[in-house]
């Protein structure tokens, strides 16, 4: 798939110098934005060091990145994520060392947000992120922030202490530019990373807070899709300056082409997204979190009469039905038939246990499968997502317990009725 891109930066209306930096490496398909801080031009130095250090570290891993393919060895995507994280850590150490060596630059730091796109016919996106610069995804007419701001205000919002709509009238407004993580303040930093499927037609925006402060999610898809890609960043800068231009403004726009023959691959990803979005287990997830889960889900084609698993078998995978029908049975007796949007085997995601039922395809069936190891990796990396998933598990299990109690009560009532009838007949 072909990528087209463009980038621009501007000092804005209220600053006298530009501490933002961006970098585009066409060969690596690497896109970077960094927003420096520190004053006396130290912020500009920090952001420049960071983007070049990250680029150089990833160039050293070019063979790993260029060798990536969707059907490649297991763990390959994880290796690229680790390479991205290490690149940001190297940048952090370099900025910190420079600050220690030059007293007038002590305390300088920078945000850093990287998007790396790898693969051939099927593309995958890899993100590394520190600070409050952002990556947006525009897909099918909707925009989604793929990064979480590491800022004081966002932390207050996350903890329920502040509503987003109240920020401008809040006493916390003065902390609008305060970040809770930055590259170079210390010798190392916690880096958010994740990978996801890239679809034909996807558009990305990497930007500093001097731009995203003026963006509305509903309007962003149209802004990114309007005209030639080379003209988009300049229009976004005009928008931010018209709104006040309170800070430096930087935007990098990336468009993913849609070559012939990509519909099948696109449909696979969309099927996974649609089916997982419909499941009660994932109903509380944001689009970004859903994309994260979808990235570890696989589609399985199961012929009619094929057994998915048998009772007594060890299980480590949850399944959801995309098309077709699955029959659950115990000791040869039908328990339930499941259709599109229904899931089974979910307990294997949270505990090591054996299957209590046998699952068989009644007709040709497509399943979405998620393995326990991948599920654990996600919830270890993203605590907020973990809380949502575990809360959903509690609700689903509670619902099933209520149904079981209801069925048991009906069974006991039926047994009592049968016993009373038999006694009555005996007395007659």
């Amino acid at each position: 798939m072909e990528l087209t891109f463009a980038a621009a930066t501007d000092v804005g209306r209220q600053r006298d110098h530009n501490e933002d930096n961006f970098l585009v490496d066409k060969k690596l398909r690497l896109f970077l934005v960094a927003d420096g801080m520190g004053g006396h031009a130290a912020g500009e130095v920090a952001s420049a060091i960071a983007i070049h250090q990250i680029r150089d570290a990833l160039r050293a891993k070019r063979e790993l990145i260029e060798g990536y393919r969707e059907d490649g060895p297991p763990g390959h995507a994880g290796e690229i994520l680790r390479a991205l994280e290490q690149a940001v850590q190297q940048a952090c150490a370099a900025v910190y060392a420079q600050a220690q060596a030059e007293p007038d630059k002590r305390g300088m730091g920078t945000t850093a947000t990287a998007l790396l796109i790898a693969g051939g016919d099927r593309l995958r996106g890899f993100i590394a992120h520190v600070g409050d610069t952002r990556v947006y995804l525009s897909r099918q007419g909707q925009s989604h922030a793929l990064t979480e701001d590491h800022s004081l205000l966002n932390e207050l919002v996350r903890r329920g202490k502040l509503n987003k709509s109240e920020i401008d009238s809040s006493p916390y407004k003065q902390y609008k530019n305060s970040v809770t993580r930055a590259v170079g303040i210390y010798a190392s930093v916690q880096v958010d990373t994740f990978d996801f499927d890239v679809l034909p037609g996807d558009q990305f925006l990497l930007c500093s807070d001097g731009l995203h402060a003026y963006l509305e999610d509903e309007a962003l898809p149209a802004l990114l899709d309007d005209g030639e890609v080379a003209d988009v960043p300049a229009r976004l800068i005009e928008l931010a300056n018209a709104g006040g231009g309170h800070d430096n403004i930087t935007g990098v726009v990336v468009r993913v082409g849609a070559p012939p023959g990509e519909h099948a691959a696109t449909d696979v990803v969309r099927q996974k997204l649609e089916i997982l979005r419909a499941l009660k287990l994932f109903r509380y997830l944001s689009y970004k979190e859903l994309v994260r889960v979808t990235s570890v889900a696989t589609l399985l084609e199961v012929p009619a009469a094929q057994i998915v698993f048998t009772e007594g078998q060890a299980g480590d995978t949850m399944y959801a039905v995309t098309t077709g029908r699955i029959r659950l049975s115990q000791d040869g007796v039908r328990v339930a038939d499941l259709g599109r949007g229904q899931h089974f085997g979910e307990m294997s995601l949270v505990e090591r246990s054996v299957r209590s039922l046998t699952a068989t395809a009644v007709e040709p069936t497509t399943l979405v499968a998620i393995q326990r190891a991948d599920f654990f990796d996600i919830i270890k990396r993203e605590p907020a997502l973990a809380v949502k998933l575990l809360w959903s598990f509690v609700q689903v299990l509670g619902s099933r317990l209520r149904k079981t109690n209801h069925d048991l009560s009906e069974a006991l009532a039926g047994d009592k009725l049968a016993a009373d009838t038999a006694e009555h007949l005996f007395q007659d």
Side-chain angles (χ1 to χ4, degrees):
M1 285 184 271
E2 182 186 3
L3 301 183
T4 55
F5 44 83
T9 188
D10 187 79
V11 71
R13 293 285 175 84
Q14 299 181 30
R15 298 294 176 94
D16 58 9
H17 65 287
N18 194 345
E19 296 186 314
D20 285 2
N21 266 292
F22 69 85
L23 185 146
V24 173
D25 189 312
K26 183 177 179 180
K27 290 183 179 178
L28 277 179
R29 293 187 288 191
L30 172 67
F31 308 92
L32 290 160
V33 169
D35 179 358
M37 62 201 76
H40 303 294
E44 183 179 350
V45 171
S47 60
I49 291 173
I51 62 171
H52 289 99
Q53 283 284 334
I54 293 170
R55 190 269 314 275
D56 292 347
L58 291 173
R59 277 185 175 176
K61 298 284 187 178
R62 174 173 287 172
E63 187 174 339
L64 169 70
I65 295 166
E66 291 180 347
Y68 175 80
R69 63 183 193 280
E70 185 73 19
D71 60 349
H76 197 162
E79 290 181 41
I80 294 178
L81 285 178
R82 283 189 290 275
L84 262 175
E85 181 172 0
Q86 290 165 6
V88 176
Q89 295 292 7
Q90 288 179 34
C92 188
V95 173
Y96 180 77
Q98 183 91 358
Q100 297 309 299
E102 300 183 33
D104 64 329
K105 293 183 174 59
R106 293 280 171 88
M108 73 175 178
T110 182
T111 68
T113 300
L115 170 65
L116 175 72
I117 297 178
D121 294 334
R122 298 276 299 278
L123 296 182
R124 197 159 191 84
F126 299 84
I127 287 175
H129 167 66
V130 176
D132 64 354
T133 39
R134 292 183 185 174
V135 178
Y136 286 94
L137 163 66
S138 175
R139 174 180 286 174
Q140 293 181 298
Q142 294 183 313
S143 70
H144 313 277
L146 296 184
T147 51
E148 184 85 23
D149 289 353
H150 303 138
S151 67
L152 177 60
L153 287 181
N154 191 54
E155 191 60 32
L156 291 171
V157 170
R158 279 164 49 92
R159 296 188 182 194
K161 305 292 185 182
L162 186 66
N163 190 293
K164 282 186 177 181
S165 62
E166 301 170 347
I167 290 176
D168 288 336
S169 59
S170 163
Y172 296 108
K173 181 182 178 180
Q174 60 182 310
Y175 302 111
K176 206 165 187 176
N177 294 323
S178 298
V179 295
T180 54
R181 290 189 220 169
V183 172
I185 300 296
Y186 301 103
S188 63
V189 68
Q190 183 180 347
V191 184
D192 287 353
T193 61
F194 82 100
D195 61 305
F196 58 97
D197 296 301
V198 174
L199 303 183
D202 281 352
Q203 298 187 86
F204 299 94
L205 170 66
L206 289 78
C207 60
S208 61
D209 65 327
L211 176 52
H212 66 65
Y214 300 98
L215 295 177
E216 295 181 1
D217 288 352
E218 299 80 7
L220 187 56
L223 288 170
L224 296 181
D225 198 39
D226 184 19
E228 296 296 323
V229 68
D231 300 327
V232 177
R235 282 202 304 270
L236 293 173
I237 287 173
E238 287 176 12
L239 174 70
N241 276 325
H246 78 284
D247 203 347
N248 306 146
I249 309 162
T250 300
V252 177
V253 178
V254 184
R255 289 180 180 174
V256 182
E262 278 300 308
H263 297 297
T266 302
D267 289 345
V268 165
V269 177
R270 287 181 180 152
Q271 276 186 61
K272 291 192 292 182
L273 274 168
E274 287 171 8
I275 209 69
L276 292 181
R277 201 173 197 173
L279 297 183
K280 289 184 178 180
L281 281 177
F282 305 111
R283 61 182 156 181
Y284 297 120
L285 300 192
S286 67
Y287 192 85
K288 177 237 176 180
E289 291 167 335
L290 195 64
V291 166
R292 181 73 182 89
V293 174
T294 305
S295 71
V296 300
T298 56
L299 275 185
L300 302 177
E301 301 292 339
V302 185
Q306 180 169 308
I307 294 174
V308 180
F309 57 70
T310 58
E311 53 194 288
Q313 177 183 348
D316 67 351
T317 307
M318 182 200 92
Y319 301 92
V321 181
T322 300
T323 60
R325 192 156 51 103
I326 290 290
R327 175 158 296 168
L328 301 179
S329 60
Q330 188 173 58
D331 297 327
V333 177
R334 174 185 169 276
V335 174
D337 280 2
L338 305 180
R340 177 179 172 82
Q342 294 180 289
H343 56 85
F344 58 100
E346 66 279 351
M347 287 306 299
S348 63
L349 292 185
V350 295
E351 67 173 4
R352 296 182 183 276
S353 60
V354 297
R355 305 291 192 184
S356 59
L357 301 169
T358 295
T360 309
V362 178
E363 57 192 66
T365 299
T366 304
L367 300 174
V368 175
I370 300 175
Q371 294 190 328
R372 181 171 56 235
D374 294 326
F375 181 77
F376 275 9
D377 183 61
I378 289 175
I379 62 177
K380 282 189 292 186
R381 286 173 177 267
E382 303 193 33
L385 187 154
V387 170
K388 293 179 183 179
L389 288 176
L390 294 176
W391 179 244
S392 294
F393 261 108
V394 170
Q395 291 184 319
V396 168
L397 293 178
S399 174
R400 291 192 176 178
L401 181 59
R402 286 192 296 273
K403 184 178 185 305
T404 300
N405 287 338
H406 178 267
D407 293 345
L408 182 59
S409 296
E410 285 194 337
L412 290 173
D415 289 345
K416 185 176 185 306
L417 178 63
D420 290 345
T421 303
E423 182 180 356
H424 179 72
L425 289 172
F426 179 74
Q427 287 175 349
D428 288 347

